[in-house]
Amino acid sequence: MDTIIKIENLNFGYNNSLVLENINLILKKNDFLAIIGPNGGGKTTLLKLIMGLLKPVSGKIELLGQEPVITRKKIGYVPQHTTNDEFFPITVEDIVKMGITNSKTLKENSAKILDIMDFLDVLKLKNKKIGELSGGQKQRVLIARALVFEPEILILDEPTASIDNEGQHLIYNYLKKLNKDKTIIIVSHDLNLILSYAKQSACVNKNLCFHNMPEITDEMKDLYIGCQAGLIERRLKHGNI
């Protein structure tokens, strides 16, 4: 299988203080990696490094065999939903179209845009304002926007935060279908995702512990320190994940 992302001995920090230390990771085509970790552990920083928005202090990142700044156009990014857009007067269809910036390309791909919206079950919402949608609907719209230029990699940062269980499972099922031809990285606090949908798991807390299976390992629990580690232990013990 082709290597999509390769990270070797990566270190990153601010003002001589490391946020990420000795990170190593290889992801292949059609991998589905779920990343967990405590707040402030470096998860979002790692995503920014993969997308070429930050440069390592040392070490190397390759995205499709090149530096991320060269190939990051192959990434579709879905941010965590915020409430800042609640009253912004823009329709669902307009938001999805924002994924294609060239007007000529937009016209040529109008049918594809509608197909993607239909796949994610937001086509029927195309004329609604973004503020009229539920949290789960908004996230599906953002996923559609990320898909319209056909990225090879889809990165999602807490896509199901503040969404009810039904909405979470709906989004995860869509991601599982998309994983047939896309490599997916998702940051999540939802441990059900790791066991039920992802193919690989990693815990990030300055260091990275990777497991080529969706299970939570003892090493991950040790890295995921404090009360969060206790939460994982209790959920594993009582079968809640």
Side-chain angles (χ1 to χ4, degrees):
M1 296 179 69
D2 297 334
T3 297
I4 300 294
I5 296 171
K6 185 176 182 180
I7 303 176
E8 294 182 312
N9 305 318
L10 180 144
N11 294 284
F12 179 82
Y14 302 98
N15 300 322
N16 298 319
S17 178
L18 288 180
V19 176
L20 294 169
E21 183 175 14
N22 195 31
I23 304 296
N24 292 276
L25 178 68
I26 293 177
L27 291 181
K28 303 289 188 178
K29 185 176 181 180
N30 302 124
D31 277 351
F32 189 154
L33 173 67
I35 299 176
I36 63 168
N39 292 333
K43 302 186 299 297
T44 298
T45 298
L46 179 60
L47 296 186
K48 290 180 178 179
L49 286 159
I50 292 172
M51 291 187 288
L53 301 177
L54 297 173
K55 290 186 177 182
V57 171
S58 61
K60 183 171 67 173
I61 299 181
E62 289 184 358
L63 183 68
L64 299 170
Q66 301 184 72
E67 292 184 12
V69 70
I70 298 173
T71 49
R72 62 187 176 196
K73 289 184 178 180
K74 298 291 185 178
I75 295 177
Y77 175 61
V78 181
Q80 183 175 342
H81 168 66
T82 66
T83 58
N84 295 335
D85 55 9
E86 291 295 321
F87 301 104
F88 192 70
I90 188 170
T91 67
V92 166
E93 186 174 14
D94 288 337
I95 288 178
V96 176
K97 287 180 177 179
M98 289 169 63
I100 296 179
T101 56
N102 184 290
S103 59
K104 181 179 179 180
T105 306
L106 180 62
K107 185 176 180 179
E108 292 174 348
N109 289 279
S110 57
K112 182 181 71 176
I113 291 170
L114 296 179
D115 286 343
I116 290 172
M117 293 174 67
D118 187 37
F119 171 76
L120 289 164
D121 197 28
V122 295
L123 182 58
K124 61 189 177 184
L125 306 172
K126 67 176 186 176
N127 295 319
K128 284 188 172 292
K129 301 294 190 297
I130 189 66
E132 299 173 345
L133 306 186
S134 69
Q137 290 171 335
K138 290 174 184 176
Q139 285 302 95
R140 298 206 306 275
V141 170
L142 294 179
I143 293 172
R145 182 181 66 180
L147 291 175
V148 293
F149 67 96
E150 299 182 332
E152 295 185 38
I153 305 161
L154 188 61
I155 295 179
L156 307 98
D157 192 357
E158 293 284 359
T160 59
S162 303
I163 297 176
D164 62 33
N165 287 336
E166 182 179 355
Q168 290 178 24
H169 285 291
L170 188 62
I171 288 174
Y172 297 156
N173 284 324
Y174 284 124
L175 293 178
K176 193 169 185 178
K177 293 177 183 177
L178 291 169
N179 184 227
K180 292 177 181 178
D181 60 8
K182 298 189 188 301
T183 302
I184 296 177
I185 301 174
I186 181 169
V187 168
S188 179
H189 285 96
D190 183 355
L191 302 180
N192 289 301
L193 167 68
I194 296 173
L195 295 184
S196 302
Y197 294 90
K199 297 175 182 175
Q200 299 85 18
S201 57
C203 182
V204 175
N205 188 9
K206 190 174 183 179
N207 303 118
L208 182 146
C209 176
F210 174 77
H211 187 44
N212 199 32
M213 293 287 287
E215 288 86 357
I216 304 295
T217 67
D218 288 339
E219 188 178 359
M220 288 180 183
K221 288 186 285 182
D222 290 340
L223 191 60
Y224 201 161
I225 59 173
C227 63
Q228 294 294 335
L231 175 62
I232 292 177
E233 186 69 44
R234 290 194 298 275
R235 288 185 175 182
L236 285 171
K237 181 178 180 180
H238 295 291
N240 292 328
I241 62 172

